[in-house]
Amino acid sequence: MWQTTPALTLNQWLAQLADEAQLSGLANLPQVLDPFAERLLWEQVISAAMSAGDSPLFDIQGMAASAVEAHALMRQWDLKLPSSEASDETRLFLSWQSEFLRRCQAGQWIDLLGQQSAVIELIHYGQLRISGQILFAGFDRDTPLETRLKTALQQRGVEIGDLPTGHNAVTEDLQVLAYPDLQAECQAVAEWAGAQLAAEPTLTLGIVVPDLAGARDQLAFALENRLHPALIRPADAEAARCFNLSLGRPLAEQTIAQTALDLLSLASGGKLEQGRIAALLNTPCWSAAMTEADGRARLDAAMRRDLPYFTRIPALLRLGARLAEQGSDFCPQTLAHLAALQSAAEATGSRRRSAAEWATHFREWLKLAGWPGERVLSSHEFQARRAFLETLDSLAALDGVLGPVSSQEAWRRLSQLCRQRVFQPETKGKPAIQVLGTLESAGLSFDALWVMGVSDEVWPPAPRPNPLLPAELLRREQVAKSSAEVELDFARRVQQRLLRAAPKITFSYAQADGARLLRPSPLLAGMKIGIAELHPPSALAWKMASTATPLEAIADAVAPAVAEGEKVSGGTWLLRAQAICPAWGYFQFRLGAEAMEAAIEGLDPRARGTLVHGALESFWRMAVDSQTLHAYSESVLQEAIAEAVAQAITDFEQQRHLTLPVRFRQLEAGRLERLLATWLTLEKQRPEPFEVVACEQEAVVEIEKIRVRMFVDRIDLLDDGRRVIIDYKTGATIDTKNWASERITEPQLPIYASIAASEPVAAVVFAKVLADKPAFSGIAEQGDLLPGVRALGDPKEKRFDPERFPDWPAVIEHWHVRLHAVAREVREGVAGVMVADENALAYCPVLPLLRLAERERLLAQQENQP
């Protein structure tokens, strides 16, 4: 039996030799720092070098990453920094490097390249057992460190060489194609791969992408859509594919790891955005996710409604307890796990501990939270869980560098480790298609190869010299990424390798990225570029959409009529939605469809409007009438406003079961006080005396057997016994033109004036309570009732046509008739998608159900029919 030849990366092989030297006693090498520990040590060095006031102003992590790279370049390229070329940045780096090396010596550590240099010295002096033949693959250009290694091996008599590929000659079967954009290019690559495998299933295909990170998602989607359309179901997410992408994703993006990090963040006293908590409640990777899925979704909806944007575990537990008291015990096991997690975190305390201690506590906390859930893990999830636990072990290994830290700091470092670690599930079988970056393709050969995305922006790569080392020195030594010339030379070497990787090769590029035009890479010069012919995609979805079988059309504009005794909720909002679009009224108020609330940080416009309503209600319950308002001195008025605002905020907090932060409450109170003072200045300008006889007046009426419950913000009584109906608005856009139309889309005031009111009404108005342009907007029976409100029949009044509305009773009758007509539609089940102005749907919570795009398509088809 032949023994398989070992294939290792250079780092793996040198690390293996270092372990052998350590175990055999040939050398006493210091403990090697892994990349994360090395960067962490650089962060500490840089932070210590700065004054306390400067640290927050700088990107310490970014500077540490540059320092790690600069240190590695000096080792790899044997760079010597003459003082004459040292800039301020370089001198600063050299001081950091000196302290870094001092700390490494004190801690008996060594960086990875330092260890490799030591191993090469051991090889040079013949102190390690080396194979007689070593082949190198993928070394497009050797660094001085790699050259020293090869020299040392040759001096030991080792036969070294380059791994031969299956194709030694540059291919002559070559084409270059241009596509309109990346999507078209990805689609073409997928079609090519499908056609190749359909013709010869045993082929090995390569797809090389210089910017694989940028094209990964679109290319993966195109390949999936073309090659595996039947695996679209979630249950087939881990089924074997005929293609493999070499680029994985950060471990932190895996659901099972992200769940663990979010649970630990909550346990560490951190607060999470509602969006992340919502994702946590809906993930299957902890507690009773399957048996309590519906309950957790309802808890999510309640959280969005009742809790602030940033939320902690105690707030969730209180919400769950309150819902349980109300008879809605949504997810007891989930809440029990959260309570156990919170108790364990509190018992652990907040004192600083070693990273190893925190790693142990984190494991215990996750177990108490029921992580990774009650169901059997899939293969990918099992691998991700194992990778996360290994990352926890890596956190524990940071003890020497990190020292005692808080739980929040330990969690932050664990999160960094998870973001840094790339997770790639094990590939099943041997996929026929390999999707690779330019470096990963080294040493591989294929039956056919497609190199895509070869535009001048990415090929050759743009130079990126290290900012901490002298640019002139880097260019002189031809260090990687130091100049355009170096990168051009690198790209040429890689391209020559690719041209030998397959007998049939295609290069392609996109001609545009959005509005930005792209050009072909200069390395394609001399090759004939063809404009690719675009073919219709052959994916399953496109085939289904283009089928010749006509689709069956079903008329769904009429829903079941309201049955006798059926209760229809919504009140004036139902009639408003029905008037704007009957389908909206049907979906939301008869079927009960509603959009999930989206929490925002602070108060949303609706909450701020509620506060304004509450403050004005409190004020007028004290002031009562215009006479009292005019009698207030400036100081007394300010005191009354402040008292009304304070009461409104208190009532708001009680209703929402929350406590606003002190500073936020002060700012909001100041805003409300200024707003009320501005508004009351306008109220003082009203020419007619008035008495506020109702605030938040409830009224219940029946229109076409539809029970309508409504609340009128305010009703004023004039001296002649007539009423003025007022509705507060805090938005700048208010439409009153619809009051004269066939479909009244702002029905609340017309309903009260024409149906609910038992006393004569003199005016119906919106009160635009705005800081910049406060105003009344509406219609009055006569002039001089309210500032800016025109009377019916006024020459400047353009909304109500005098021929249709000769007097006030005509307006009232119009409202009565049209409101009954809309209510009759509700009763009869009229539910079509009929919209006069789509702008009126801006705040429609069931907008996706209306399928406006489909409606427009059907209307266009009807217009085109003979």
Side-chain angles (χ1 to χ4, degrees), residues 230-239 241:
L231 300 183
I232 192 172
R233 299 176 303 166
D236 294 320
E238 297 184 15
R241 266 67 170 170

Side-chain angles (χ1 to χ4, degrees), residues 339-372:
L341 178 63
Q342 178 71 11
S343 298
E346 291 175 348
T348 303
S350 58
R351 73 177 180 86
R352 300 167 72 86
R353 302 171 185 269
S354 68
E357 288 181 273
W358 283 122
T360 301
H361 284 303
F362 287 171
R363 285 176 180 266
E364 294 172 353
W365 292 358
L366 291 174
K367 184 177 180 180
L368 290 171
W371 181 84

Side-chain angles (χ1 to χ4, degrees), residues 639-657:
E639 290 176 4
I641 290 174
E643 183 179 345
V645 167
Q647 183 62 49
I649 294 177
T650 299
D651 293 344
F652 178 83
E653 290 177 323
Q654 292 175 351
Q655 293 165 4
R656 298 292 184 98
H657 305 287

Side-chain angles (χ1 to χ4, degrees), residues 355-356 358-359 362 391-399 402 410 413-414 417:
W358 283 122
F362 287 171
T391 308
L392 265 179
D393 294 336
S394 299
L395 175 68
L398 295 176
D399 270 356
L402 200 55
R413 296 304 182 181
L414 177 62
L417 283 167

Side-chain angles (χ1 to χ4, degrees), residues 320-395:
R322 188 167 71 249
L323 294 173
E325 292 174 359
Q326 298 170 1
S328 302
D329 197 4
F330 292 152
C331 43
Q333 188 61 44
T334 296
L335 293 173
H337 275 132
L338 278 178
L341 178 63
Q342 178 71 11
S343 298
E346 291 175 348
T348 303
S350 58
R351 73 177 180 86
R352 300 167 72 86
R353 302 171 185 269
S354 68
E357 288 181 273
W358 283 122
T360 301
H361 284 303
F362 287 171
R363 285 176 180 266
E364 294 172 353
W365 292 358
L366 291 174
K367 184 177 180 180
L368 290 171
W371 181 84
E374 60 187 355
R375 64 191 176 89
V376 177
L377 298 180
S378 68
S379 174
H380 288 187
E381 289 172 332
F382 181 83
Q383 295 174 55
R385 174 182 177 272
R386 181 177 61 195
F388 180 79
L389 295 177
E390 291 172 356
T391 308
L392 265 179
D393 294 336
S394 299
L395 175 68

